[in-house]
Amino acid sequence: MNQLDQLESIGVRILREAYSNFKNLCMLWSIGKDSTVLLWLARKAFYGHVPFPLVHIDTHFKIPEMIEYRDRLTREWNLPMVYGENSEALAAGQTYPDGNVDRLTCCRLLKAEALKNTLNGNWKRYRFNHGTDRYELDDNKDLYTGVIVGVRADEEGSRSKERYFSPRDKENIWDVGDQPPEFWNQFKTDFAPGSHVRIHPLLDWTETNIWEYIEREKIPTVSLYYNQGSGERYRSLGCGPCTHSVQSEARNVSEIISELKTGKFANIAERSGRAQDKEDGGGLETLRRDGYM
Amino acid sequence: MQREQMNIVFTGHVDHGKSTVVGRLLADTGSLPEGKLEQIRRDCEKNSKPFEYAFLLDALKDEQSQGITIDAARVFFNSDKRDYIIIDAPGHIEFLKNMITGAARAEAAFLVIDADEGIQENSRRHGYLLAMLGISQVCVIVNKMDLVGYNQQVYKRIVRKFSRFLKSINLPKVKFVPVSGREGDHIYHRMDRMPWWEGATVLELLDQFKKSESLERLPLRMPVTDIYKFTNFADSRRIIAGTAETGSFKEGDELIFYPSGKKSRVKSIESFNTQTVTEVSAGKATGITLEEQIYLSRGALACRVDEMPPRVGNCLMVSLFWLGREPLVAGKEYLLKTGTSKVRCQLTEISKIIDASSLDAQDRKNQVDRHDVAECILTLQKVIAFDLVMDLPQTSRFVLVDGYEIAGGGIIREVVEGRQSEYGDRLIRRNLEWENGIVTELDRMQQYQQRPALILVTGVLNGGNKQFAEQLEKKLFSLDKTVYYLGYRSLKYGLDADLRNGFQNRHNQMIREEHIRRISEISHIMMDAGLFFIVKIDALTYEERDLIQLLIGSSRLKTIWVGRDITTDLVPDWHIRHPENTADHLEEVDQIMTEWELLGDIK
């Protein structure tokens, strides 16, 4: 087995462990390249099916192509798609683009808070009805006890310390100093009522691995990742106002791979285009302790 | 071309300089992202603290403020030869579970010892744990040579002393290297401060590690993860999913599933978005369909009929390390997880507790405390399949769950022979020799839409359990379930006619045990016929329940205690406190059967 086969097998094994051990399981799909690889791994693990809901947190500031792509794949692959949002903060204009709060607060409200309350079923969830071709209010209000997430250890410091199966308490808090042991493919699958476990099948993947796998498997990705003539592309996708494109000539997957391996990005961190990471020394770590992805 | 990848762990006592060595390795080989080194230097200047290479790794705020590594970080590093994931494991005793987590996913290890401070408690403990975790490739880095004036004698003393220790724990071929992480000697660069050293640098030693021996050549061991049948998507395949831990198989091979001993041939190897796959080997997460549809569930161990069989038993002699806040004690129930099986167990006996820091056996203790390493005997509630560490280390490994937490782990050394093991052997023999008809167990389950089960109705003599059992049969029958009730007198004057005293004679344990064995064998047949089988048995005990479970070879055994007080140590699955309100209880039957997962979609 080569490296990609190995990474794929570990990912599939973890997804299957999660599916066998958790009654209320879901997978977060941010539409970005990592969580799309994760979705693909789920189709590998379950032979074309995705036997648990895909949850998207809609901040309403995502770049429009992302939402179009989400709904296109939902239809084509017959995906069980669910989204949630912080409708209160959005209605009150408590957002960075509205000029009322700073970037980190905006992330906390639109992402971390929305995520927490969508996962625990306190806030409304909307599910795609393949019969009517529309999103409709989801009757299911159960807490998701297992939440599959596409974070990678190489993204930033706090993610490098993650477990494959990482528990969150009732308040969604990650106790980074006291994580469960993991060895010999045995993971934490028993948990106290009210808590949930985040599951991370992509921890060992690097950004380059992700693109190599996308190339090998021919996985469709959002067009924003590619230079379409402007000399710019997105290296990492997030909300429009806080994620910036990078200058790059890469027009397709194989050009991205050579850019990462030997080209201009060989030594530049991926999230350098994300403004919220720079707000305070450990900004992302603080957000992540409180439940951010 | 895909490059080779390898996971390496750095271990050792707290403050002996693991993070510094790794940070130095990254910096000297030019492996850091642009600006990272400068950023850390600036931060240090701003906070008026001296720059340290360790800050490149200790990313967490707590770690930087306390100057220690709390959790294992993954660091991606590429040499000319291959790609590495370097795991920087914490050295502080408090974080031993994080060290083990980090080390367990490594193929090789560096153990760092401070030349000035010498061999410390965790230097030995980590060495011992590496050996137990199955990591045989280890290199020792004698760090901080700058603090001892690059003195060769100091280095030699540590090598001599530590080699002796490593030999005693079966790690005889360990290499050593003297370095200074702070000054950068022998990490990547050779410097002239230790002219007496002609050996390899850390980077060279790293590249000298060999990829693990191929697991493919060992006997096949594939724990069954799950059975997939996505009928609601009109997919008719019944796929047995699993990851091969060792060995290999191909289409057409005959597999045997332990502990039940059921056999079938591989019909196809399933895959998604690939060309047809006809062969699977170790490490591959896969799925197969079988020629003969046998009923399987998570926890079974797939092996090849033409290879060494695994062991089967429920009483195990093990070596384990304990990480739980609460000690491991006898009389408490834990869960043992190995492969994909998960079974209740208890600590039966502690043979010895080893002080991992000195490796002396301690005085007899009656509990295993946090961070202890011990040899003990565990008794499991049912037989499972596994291997002994000397035969196949991969499938000898287990963890123990206390409450919600993984609190320990270890390796299985021996099967302890006992009555249950004897029954276990007979059980396998029976299943191997069992003559199946053309209609299979699975066919029946799908037709009846029920998972056959043994329902034991118990309670005190004449306490209403007979009446409840009868009503339960009637209720299930009215729900269109295929069910049969066997009363005590039917047994006594039929199958048990040769057992003189009847089983109510509690003085005659042999007779009671034989009675239970017979009930179990009948139950096995009735379950094979696809039935819900209800048996009334008075004053059932915990131990008896376990024996029945063992003999029917299935976990689909449910107990119902009828009557206000439970007079034995049994913990029933359902307690009917007021038998006079039988009708009310029967209302719940459908719901309870669903909760017990006896009804519903049969895959």
Side-chain angles (χ1 to χ4, degrees):
Chain A
M1 286 204 296
N2 64 33
Q3 191 187 346
L4 288 182
D5 292 334
Q6 225 169 4
L7 289 169
E8 180 190 79
S9 270
I10 294 170
V12 165
R13 177 198 281 242
I14 290 170
L15 286 171
R16 287 174 172 177
E17 281 300 309
Y19 182 57
S20 298
N21 281 290
F22 293 87
K23 277 213 176 93
N24 279 305
L25 186 66
C26 73
M27 178 188 276
L28 299 186
W29 187 25
S30 74
I31 309 169
K33 59 188 188 309
D34 300 331
S35 59
T36 303
V37 163
L38 191 62
L39 169 58
W40 190 261
L41 283 184
R43 299 183 85 212
K44 282 257 173 181
F46 308 108
Y47 300 97
H49 309 289
V50 180
F52 35 73
L54 288 170
V55 175
H56 179 237
I57 299 304
D58 197 344
T59 62
H60 293 266
F61 289 107
K62 298 286 175 197
I63 307 167
E65 280 96 324
M66 294 168 67
I67 303 296
E68 283 162 28
Y69 165 86
R70 176 190 80 186
D71 293 341
R72 180 165 60 83
L73 285 201
T74 298
R75 290 186 185 99
E76 282 176 13
W77 291 352
N78 203 10
L79 300 175
M81 190 68 215
V82 169
Y83 79 83
E85 63 190 16
N86 187 344
S87 45
E88 218 167 274
L90 286 165
Q94 290 292 307
T95 73
Y96 175 73
D98 283 317
N100 295 324
V101 297
D102 63 23
R103 282 198 165 102
L104 280 181
T105 309
C106 187
C107 268
R108 206 186 65 237
L109 290 173
L110 296 191
K111 293 182 186 170
E113 282 294 308
L115 178 64
K116 178 166 83 182
N117 288 291
T118 301
L119 293 182
N120 65 21
N122 286 350
W123 291 357
K124 285 175 183 159
R125 303 200 275 233
Y126 301 89
R127 179 182 276 267
F128 190 81
N129 181 330
H130 287 273
T132 61
D133 200 48
R134 283 183 14 216
Y135 284 91
E136 291 166 5
L137 203 60
D138 192 2
D139 304 334
N140 177 351
K141 294 184 173 62
D142 292 344
L143 162 87
Y144 290 121
T145 49
V147 181
I148 307 166
V149 187
V151 307
R152 304 190 327 260
D154 76 330
E155 288 178 281
E156 49 82 43
S158 72
R159 290 181 191 179
S160 77
K161 308 263 173 175
E162 270 288 7
R163 295 286 191 266
Y164 295 116
F165 284 64
S166 173
R168 306 293 149 124
D169 68 7
K170 279 186 190 161
E171 298 308 315
N172 232 10
I173 289 175
W174 178 39
D175 187 351
V176 63
D178 186 20
Q179 301 194 69
E182 273 181 355
F183 40 94
W184 302 330
N185 295 312
Q186 297 293 350
F187 309 107
K188 179 182 168 71
T189 51
D190 301 275
F191 48 92
S195 58
H196 76 271
V197 174
R198 297 269 176 100
I199 299 140
H200 301 128
L202 298 185
L203 273 191
D204 298 332
W205 295 53
T206 63
E207 188 186 6
T208 311
N209 295 148
I210 291 284
W211 283 113
E212 285 171 338
Y213 191 70
I214 287 172
E215 182 178 50
R216 180 178 101 171
E217 299 286 321
K218 302 185 178 65
I219 305 171
T221 41
V222 191
S223 57
L224 296 165
Y225 282 119
Y226 312 99
N227 161 33
Q228 289 166 81
S230 63
E232 298 208 335
R233 66 175 191 90
Y234 285 87
R235 193 169 167 198
S236 152
L237 292 177
C239 293
C242 292
T243 311
H244 303 301
S245 51
V246 292
Q247 293 202 328
S248 160
E249 293 300 321
R251 286 163 189 274
N252 54 46
V253 180
S254 72
E255 287 177 22
I256 289 179
I257 294 170
S258 42
E259 199 176 60
L260 286 172
K261 281 185 138 168
T262 52
K264 58 181 295 193
F265 292 133
N267 256 329
I268 296 176
E270 176 187 356
R271 292 178 66 97
S272 52
R274 294 238 193 168
Q276 87 265 29
D277 291 9
K278 296 176 184 152
E279 293 280 297
D280 115 54
L284 200 60
E285 185 193 337
T286 313
L287 273 176
R288 282 174 49 73
R289 279 176 190 260
D290 292 339
Y292 183 69
M293 279 197 280
Chain B
M1 242 273 292
Q2 284 282 326
R3 278 160 60 84
E4 196 174 65
Q5 190 178 41
M6 201 167 177
N7 293 359
I8 308 290
V9 67
F10 278 71
T11 64
H13 196 68
V14 64
D15 267 346
H16 280 199
K18 294 174 294 294
S19 304
T20 304
V21 170
V22 177
R24 182 55 104 154
L25 186 66
L26 297 176
D28 287 1
T29 52
S31 309
L32 292 167
E34 218 168 81
K36 178 86 181 175
L37 199 60
E38 293 69 26
Q39 180 213 324
I40 303 273
R41 280 194 200 278
R42 261 200 316 277
D43 289 351
C44 288
E45 215 164 289
K46 201 167 76 188
N47 300 324
S48 326
K49 37 180 194 187
F51 168 83
E52 284 187 33
Y53 282 96
F55 294 152
L56 291 166
L57 278 94
D58 293 342
L60 299 171
K61 282 179 165 180
D62 279 359
E63 293 180 318
Q64 293 193 2
S65 60
Q66 293 174 29
I68 55 167
T69 305
I70 291 175
D71 202 351
R74 289 175 175 76
V75 181
F76 296 81
F77 169 75
N78 306 333
S79 75
D80 291 342
K81 182 171 176 186
R82 60 188 159 208
D83 298 351
Y84 292 98
I85 297 180
I86 290 182
I87 302 150
D88 179 30
H92 202 277
I93 182 80
E94 271 302 295
F95 306 119
L96 191 67
K97 65 181 172 152
N98 298 341
M99 176 270 165
I100 290 172
T101 299
R105 56 172 84 102
E107 291 158 80
F110 282 110
L111 205 158
V112 181
I113 296 179
D114 181 332
D116 192 31
E117 213 177 276
I119 299 159
Q120 295 293 310
E121 178 184 283
N122 270 343
S123 316
R124 291 200 196 86
R125 194 192 304 269
H126 286 182
Y128 189 85
L129 288 171
L130 289 175
M132 196 190 273
L133 288 165
I135 301 166
S136 54
Q137 297 192 80
V138 180
C139 277
V140 176
I141 294 174
V142 181
N143 186 28
K144 304 196 189 180
M145 288 300 292
D146 52 314
L147 294 186
V148 295
Y150 297 102
N151 184 326
Q152 190 180 8
Q153 293 316 311
V154 176
Y155 171 74
K156 277 191 162 166
R157 212 159 34 235
I158 290 174
V159 172
R160 204 162 44 236
K161 209 166 144 195
F162 205 61
S163 294
R164 208 159 44 226
F165 164 76
L166 290 170
K167 218 172 278 168
S168 76
I169 58 168
N170 272 332
L171 286 175
K173 286 185 203 144
V174 172
K175 290 179 182 164
F176 288 73
V177 55
V179 314
S180 164
R182 200 167 68 182
E183 304 302 328
D185 305 76
H186 300 156
I187 305 289
Y188 174 57
H189 297 294
R190 290 181 173 280
M191 296 186 194
D192 47 16
R193 289 184 284 243
M194 287 177 271
W196 46 269
W197 177 250
E198 288 174 348
T201 63
V202 171
L203 181 65
E204 285 161 359
L205 287 169
L206 187 65
D207 280 344
Q208 281 172 21
F209 284 133
K210 295 200 171 55
K211 279 299 278 185
S212 331
E213 274 292 298
S214 170
L215 298 173
E216 284 168 44
R217 271 175 258 133
L218 301 170
L220 173 71
R221 296 292 184 261
M222 184 170 81
V224 172
T225 309
D226 219 332
I227 317 295
Y228 300 137
K229 197 162 178 189
F230 298 106
T231 43
N232 42 346
F233 300 102
D235 185 343
S236 62
R237 292 173 295 179
R238 178 173 174 268
I239 301 173
I240 319 296
T243 299
E245 297 287 354
T246 54
S248 66
F249 65 91
K250 52 187 191 307
E251 260 178 29
D253 278 346
E254 190 170 27
L255 301 185
I256 176 162
F257 295 85
Y258 289 94
S260 72
K262 292 176 189 168
K263 285 184 282 189
S264 188
R265 265 179 209 288
V266 179
K267 186 172 159 196
S268 66
I269 295 166
E270 297 293 322
S271 59
F272 172 80
N273 199 49
T274 53
Q275 292 170 328
T276 311
V277 180
T278 53
E279 206 167 350
V280 167
S281 52
K284 181 77 186 154
T286 187
I288 54 173
T289 65
L290 297 175
E291 265 172 25
E292 192 196 339
Q293 297 307 317
I294 50 177
Y295 182 76
L296 287 170
S297 52
R298 184 177 161 86
L301 184 65
C303 306
R304 270 167 54 171
V305 289
D306 55 349
E307 291 179 338
M308 176 184 87
R311 307 293 174 117
V312 169
N314 76 322
C315 200
L316 316 175
M317 219 277 280
V318 305
S319 292
L320 60 80
F321 47 85
W322 191 247
L323 302 166
R325 282 202 184 83
E326 301 292 321
L328 171 66
V329 291
K332 185 175 170 183
E333 202 159 79
Y334 302 92
L335 283 168
L336 180 141
K337 297 209 285 185
T338 177
T340 51
S341 66
K342 184 171 173 179
V343 53
R344 286 190 279 175
C345 80
Q346 292 200 335
L347 170 69
T348 311
E349 190 186 309
I350 299 173
S351 310
K352 69 178 174 198
I353 291 190
I354 299 150
D355 177 351
S357 56
S358 66
L359 287 190
D360 296 331
Q362 291 187 349
D363 288 344
R364 186 160 280 253
K365 287 200 335 190
N366 55 9
Q367 61 180 39
V368 183
D369 290 315
R370 192 175 198 192
H371 302 144
D372 275 349
V373 177
E375 276 178 21
C376 11
I377 294 173
L378 300 175
T379 306
L380 318 185
Q381 200 185 53
K382 58 175 184 169
V383 289
I384 55 164
F386 52 86
D387 285 283
L388 303 184
V389 67
M390 60 176 188
D391 297 333
L392 253 184
Q394 285 73 18
T395 29
S396 79
R397 297 164 181 166
F398 66 89
V399 300
L400 287 177
V401 179
D402 182 7
Y404 302 117
E405 307 301 333
I406 292 178
I411 47 183
I412 303 169
R413 295 203 176 279
E414 294 287 343
V415 185
V416 180
E417 297 303 327
R419 208 181 65 215
Q420 296 239 338
S421 295
E422 189 187 309
Y423 279 125
D425 290 345
R426 270 204 250 167
L427 179 78
I428 289 187
R429 186 85 209 155
R430 177 190 74 193
N431 291 347
L432 277 175
E433 301 295 333
W434 199 261
E435 293 181 37
N436 287 311
I438 295 165
V439 181
T440 68
E441 180 193 13
L442 187 68
D443 292 336
R444 289 180 219 277
M445 286 166 74
Q446 286 171 342
Q447 180 143 334
Y448 304 153
Q449 278 307 299
Q450 63 183 45
R451 286 181 188 79
L454 170 61
I455 301 167
L456 293 172
V457 182
T458 184
V460 291
L461 184 63
N462 299 327
N465 47 11
K466 174 168 181 281
Q467 290 74 13
F468 186 80
E470 289 167 355
Q471 290 301 317
L472 181 64
E473 182 193 31
K474 190 174 160 203
K475 171 75 184 181
L476 286 171
F477 189 73
S478 74
L479 292 169
D480 282 339
K481 299 302 155 202
T482 312
V483 55
Y484 187 76
Y485 163 66
L486 185 67
Y488 160 62
R489 294 167 72 82
S490 320
L491 278 162
K492 183 177 176 185
Y493 295 102
L495 197 74
D496 281 351
D498 59 330
L499 297 183
R500 274 173 304 136
N501 297 327
F503 61 83
Q504 277 158 32
N505 182 352
R506 301 288 279 148
H507 303 293
N508 198 332
Q509 278 302 326
M510 291 297 285
I511 287 176
R512 171 100 173 174
E513 194 175 316
E514 177 57 17
H515 170 70
I516 280 175
R517 194 191 70 78
R518 292 178 184 193
I519 287 181
S520 306
E521 284 302 318
I522 291 218
S523 303
H524 176 248
I525 294 172
M526 296 300 246
M527 287 167 74
D528 196 45
L531 271 64
F532 285 145
F533 188 44
I534 302 172
V535 175
K536 189 204 89 143
I537 177 165
D538 289 323
L540 186 71
T541 65
Y542 183 89
E543 196 184 343
E544 288 167 347
R545 180 210 169 278
D546 284 359
L547 182 60
I548 296 171
Q549 175 160 56
L550 174 78
L551 290 172
I552 62 173
S554 163
S555 56
R556 272 182 270 110
L557 160 64
K558 297 297 167 188
T559 53
I560 303 173
W561 187 282
V562 179
R564 197 165 55 94
D565 302 314
I566 300 177
T567 55
T568 71
D569 56 354
L570 184 79
V571 184
D573 297 296
W574 191 15
H575 185 183
I576 307 284
R577 285 187 178 77
H578 303 288
E580 60 280 8
N581 305 335
T582 301
D584 295 347
H585 297 302
L586 290 171
E587 285 298 303
E588 301 172 56
V589 163
D590 213 2
Q591 182 204 329
I592 283 182
M593 299 296 277
T594 307
E595 252 170 55
W596 289 347
E597 297 179 347
L598 300 179
L599 304 177
D601 194 26
I602 312 292
K603 290 186 278 194

